[in-house]
């Protein structure tokens, strides 16, 4: 007879049961004194709870949602994830790789990178995106502006749906002097070299108040990061760093004054003198504080520029009654 307890040659080990990574991590977290009702999270970020609510809200449903209310997240200083509340395809991807009972930033980034596009149902191609948001140069349904800035050395042509922009402006006062875009708003940024589109960045507003971020390569297919100089930026991880942060960037920071050139070229908002003059005369940058407030997580001065165009039209005597009513709502 073989003595299994003592081991030795010929010993047949007892069968081993597979333990999913998140179950093992929960057991370790409990042993380490972490919250018993979730896998503890420590991202080592200043706005940690906001980041978790943004990312995990995207796994609640197609429109996003509150991950705490959905039972996916523990908040209020006891930050934790309940993996069993994740949709089935994504549970096993959440991996406490170093088995310390805590999901750290690198482990969380790996999870998001592997699951985010599928969880959010991002259109796989630009053609599919255009079925949802048919942006086009010269289309008055889209407010368009061009910017040379810090994100890329390429020139950015940005498309904002005019109806969504006007709705945000009409609700500015009732929203506590904030521009809040309607759910489903899609903002598109083409990175261009001449007439060539090198890549396209997209943000799409969820009903929970956050935005989805996506990048499409020169081939029109969904990509994990930008590719134009000066550096690649992972989507959505590095998108949220700016859009949910507080740092100010040129040319928006300096506008309507001319911004200084950066190390990779000019930093400028391409707009005519009438628009720039209306911004200055009515102090619209201070009126909206659009860039500094991060109104609805948007960094561009789209409301400021659009309103300046209306004021320039008023000065020229070509304002429509609808536009006059919008300016009146704003108190301008």
């Amino acid at each position: 007879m073989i003595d299994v307890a003592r081991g030795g040659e010929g010993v047949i080990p007892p069968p081993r049961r597979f333990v999913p990574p998140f179950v093992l991590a929960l057991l370790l977290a409990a042993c380490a004194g972490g919250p018993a009702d979730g896998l503890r999270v420590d991202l080592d970020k200043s706005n940690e709870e906001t980041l978790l609510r943004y990312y995990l809200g995207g796994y609640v449903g197609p429109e996003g949602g509150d991950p705490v209310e959905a039972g996916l997240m523990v908040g209020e200083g006891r930050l934790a994830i309940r993996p069993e509340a994740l949709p089935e395809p994504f549970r096993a991807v959440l991996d406490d790789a170093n088995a310390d009972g805590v999901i750290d930033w690198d482990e969380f980034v790996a999870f998001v990178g592997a699951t985010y596009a599928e969880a959010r149902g991002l259109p796989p191609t630009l053609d599919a995106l255009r079925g949802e948001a048919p942006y086009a140069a010269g289309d008055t349904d889209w407010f368009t502006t061009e910017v040379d800035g810090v994100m890329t050395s390429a020139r950015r042509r940005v498309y904002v749906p005019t109806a969504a922009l006007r709705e945000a402006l009409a609700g500015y006062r009732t929203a506590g002097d904030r521009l809040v875009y309607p759910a489903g708003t899609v903002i598109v940024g083409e990175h261009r070299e001449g007439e060539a589109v090198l890549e396209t960045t997209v943000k799409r507003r969820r009903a929970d108040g956050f935005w989805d971020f996506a990048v499409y390569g020169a081939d029109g297919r969904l990509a994990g990061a930008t590719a134009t100089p000066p550096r690649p930026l992972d989507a959505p991880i590095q998108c949220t760093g700016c859009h949910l942060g507080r740092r100010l960037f040129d040319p928006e920071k300096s506008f309507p004054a001319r911004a200084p050139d950066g190390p990779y070229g000019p930093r400028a908002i391409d707009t005519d003198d009438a628009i720039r003059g209306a911004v200055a005369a009515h102090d619209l940058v201070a009126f909206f504080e659009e860039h500094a407030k991060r109104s609805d997580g948007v960094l561009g001065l789209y409301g400021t520029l659009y309103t300046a165009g209306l004021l320039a039209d008023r000065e020229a005597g070509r304002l429509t009654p609808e536009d006059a009513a919008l300016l009146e709502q704003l108190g301008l």
Side-chain angles (χ1 to χ4, degrees), residues 260-295:
D261 287 353
Y264 302 101
R267 296 176 180 177
I269 295 174
D270 184 13
T271 189
D272 62 40
D273 290 339
I275 300 296
R276 193 178 293 270
V279 169
H282 295 274
D283 205 8
L284 290 183
V285 170
F287 179 84
F288 286 113
E289 291 187 292
E290 198 170 0
H291 184 67
K293 280 182 182 176
R294 295 295 200 275
S295 280

Side-chain angles (χ1 to χ4, degrees), residues 48 51 107 150 195 209 229 232 237 242:
E48 197 162 357
L51 285 172
E107 292 163 344
V150 298
E195 291 305 308
I237 295 296
C242 292

Side-chain angles (χ1 to χ4, degrees), residues 38-115:
L39 177 56
R40 191 160 65 86
V41 178
D42 183 2
L43 304 181
D44 194 26
K45 302 291 180 182
S46 59
N47 55 347
E48 197 162 357
E49 184 161 351
T50 300
L51 285 172
L52 277 177
R53 284 181 177 274
Y54 163 71
Y55 289 114
L56 295 179
Y59 294 82
V60 171
E63 299 300 320
D66 187 328
V68 174
E69 289 182 3
L72 175 55
M73 171 183 162
V74 179
E76 298 181 355
R78 298 185 305 110
L79 299 181
I81 301 173
R82 295 188 177 100
E84 68 276 9
L86 282 167
E88 181 65 37
F90 311 129
R91 292 177 193 171
V93 185
L94 184 64
D95 185 20
D96 177 18
N98 60 10
D100 64 351
V102 179
I103 295 294
D104 61 28
W105 178 244
D106 289 339
E107 292 163 344
F108 190 70
V109 166
F111 165 72
V112 171
T115 61

Side-chain angles (χ1 to χ4, degrees), residues 24 49 149 155 236 301:
L24 177 61
E49 184 161 351
R155 169 163 280 217
L301 301 180

Side-chain angles (χ1 to χ4, degrees), residues 120-137:
R120 297 308 309 138
L122 299 179
T125 66
L126 276 179
D127 287 342
L129 175 73
R130 286 193 180 95
E132 174 185 338
Y135 65 95

